[in-house]
Amino acid sequence: MRAMFAVTGNIPSEEILEDMREQMGLNRPFLVQYGHWLMNCLQGDFGTSYSQGKPVSEMLAVRVLPTLQLALLSLVMMLVMAVPAGVLSALHQNRFLDYFIRAVTFTGISLPNFWAGLLLIYFVALKLELLPVVSTGMGLQKMILPAFTLAFAMAGKYARQVRAAILEEMSQDYVYGALARGLSETVVLWRHVIPNAMLPLLTLLGLSLGSLLGGTAVVEVIFSYPALGSLAINAITSMDYPLIQGYVLWIALIYMIVNLAVDVSYSFLDPRLRKGV
């Protein structure tokens, strides 16, 4: 309680502290407090923010749309970069193009998000003046830099996964059988190898979507993007415990829903699962 007032620069008296404890129910036994909080959460009430005095559920709901937009744009950018890069790397295995793509993907994986974001701000926004520095507000143009920052790191990981999956599928017996029956390499690649290679990546894709929807705090703070991650940082710095608890529950719920959706989608995308093979 004292820490909450200290963030605002005020030093409360003991009388004020007692009144606040009474209003918030902090003077009741712990199990009673937890039971009351849990019952409210089951009804969608995560409490009231200490720092802003607004319902936590309302504050989280406002940030959902910007978070969803940023997450989906990041995933689209990542897939556009990673899938062609992974396929080309596999088709030119141990040649110059393969080595070049692997070097670029290694750079993407190794480069921290905050450093990549600062480099993009300096060169793209400040030097070339192609995009705005600050991403507050809505609009596709303001989401490009933060989305690309997130997509670049993910693209490195996914390109390597696509490369490994393509190489594994190309060594399967059905590929040799299809080529022996006279099918061209292009037909075998696009109709059989790539669809089969993409299925194992669904799990990773679901986890990445859950992570993005949960909030990517560092990137959002760098670009001043008003999503869940920046809201969580503000809640931590102001010691806003109801908001922090609501944010953590939101992340857990997101991961559960996304993983369930991925598991269900397997039965639709893989006929072997529908037939019980």
Side-chain angles (χ1 to χ4, degrees):
M1 185 68 68
R2 293 181 185 275
M4 185 182 70
F5 279 98
V7 173
T8 62
N10 298 321
I11 301 177
S13 63
E14 289 297 329
E15 291 78 9
I16 295 177
L17 290 176
E18 287 298 326
D19 290 340
M20 291 295 294
R21 291 192 186 100
E22 180 70 27
Q23 293 176 15
M24 296 180 179
L26 299 178
N27 56 351
R28 292 179 291 179
F30 171 76
L31 292 178
V32 175
Q33 295 182 46
Y34 177 74
H36 179 72
W37 173 81
L38 182 60
M39 291 301 297
N40 288 337
C41 284
L42 294 176
Q43 300 174 33
D45 181 8
F46 299 113
T48 302
S49 169
Y50 289 166
S51 59
Q52 300 190 35
K54 299 179 181 178
V56 172
S57 56
E58 179 181 307
M59 296 177 65
L60 293 174
V62 171
R63 301 293 183 108
V64 169
L65 182 58
T67 303
L68 183 62
Q69 291 175 331
L70 181 63
L72 294 178
L73 182 60
S74 301
L75 285 181
V76 170
M77 286 184 173
M78 181 274 293
L79 291 174
V80 169
M81 291 186 288
V83 174
V87 172
L88 288 174
S89 182
L91 295 179
H92 298 81
Q93 184 183 14
N94 297 329
R95 284 184 261 177
F96 173 77
L97 185 59
D98 181 28
Y99 292 134
F100 176 76
I101 292 175
R102 287 161 65 183
V104 173
T105 56
F106 179 78
T107 303
I109 295 173
S110 305
L111 198 64
N113 276 342
F114 72 89
W115 185 242
L118 292 175
L119 290 176
L120 287 173
I121 289 175
Y122 180 76
F123 288 106
V124 178
L126 295 180
K127 290 298 183 180
L128 300 178
E129 298 182 355
L130 297 176
L131 295 169
V133 177
V134 180
S135 299
T136 53
M138 306 298 289
L140 179 61
Q141 191 180 35
K142 297 180 179 180
M143 290 192 296
I144 291 177
L145 283 183
F148 184 81
T149 302
L150 296 171
F152 184 63
M154 289 192 299
K157 177 179 66 175
Y158 276 88
R160 287 172 172 259
Q161 293 289 340
V162 170
R163 177 184 182 275
I166 292 290
L167 290 176
E168 182 179 357
E169 288 297 323
M170 290 177 66
S171 64
Q172 299 295 321
D173 292 338
Y174 76 87
V175 174
Y176 296 114
L179 294 174
R181 290 193 299 270
L183 293 177
S184 66
E185 292 185 0
T186 303
V187 172
V188 173
L189 178 68
W190 287 102
R191 290 188 181 180
H192 302 287
V193 174
I194 290 181
N196 290 332
M198 294 300 109
L199 283 175
L201 298 179
L202 276 179
T203 302
L204 282 177
L205 197 63
L207 292 175
S208 297
L209 179 59
S211 176
L212 291 171
L213 289 177
T216 48
V218 175
V219 173
E220 293 174 17
V221 170
I222 289 175
F223 291 98
S224 299
Y225 189 78
L228 286 171
S230 58
L231 181 67
I233 293 295
N234 294 334
I236 293 171
T237 55
S238 60
M239 298 184 183
D240 195 336
Y241 296 113
L243 187 53
I244 296 172
Q245 290 173 332
Y247 171 77
V248 172
L249 286 175
W250 166 252
I251 293 178
L253 183 62
I254 285 174
Y255 270 95
M256 290 173 58
I257 294 175
V258 170
N259 281 305
L260 178 62
V262 169
D263 290 340
V264 171
S265 66
Y266 269 116
S267 61
F268 292 99
L269 297 175
D270 193 343
R272 294 171 298 180
L273 295 178
R274 291 198 298 268
K275 297 177 181 179
V277 179

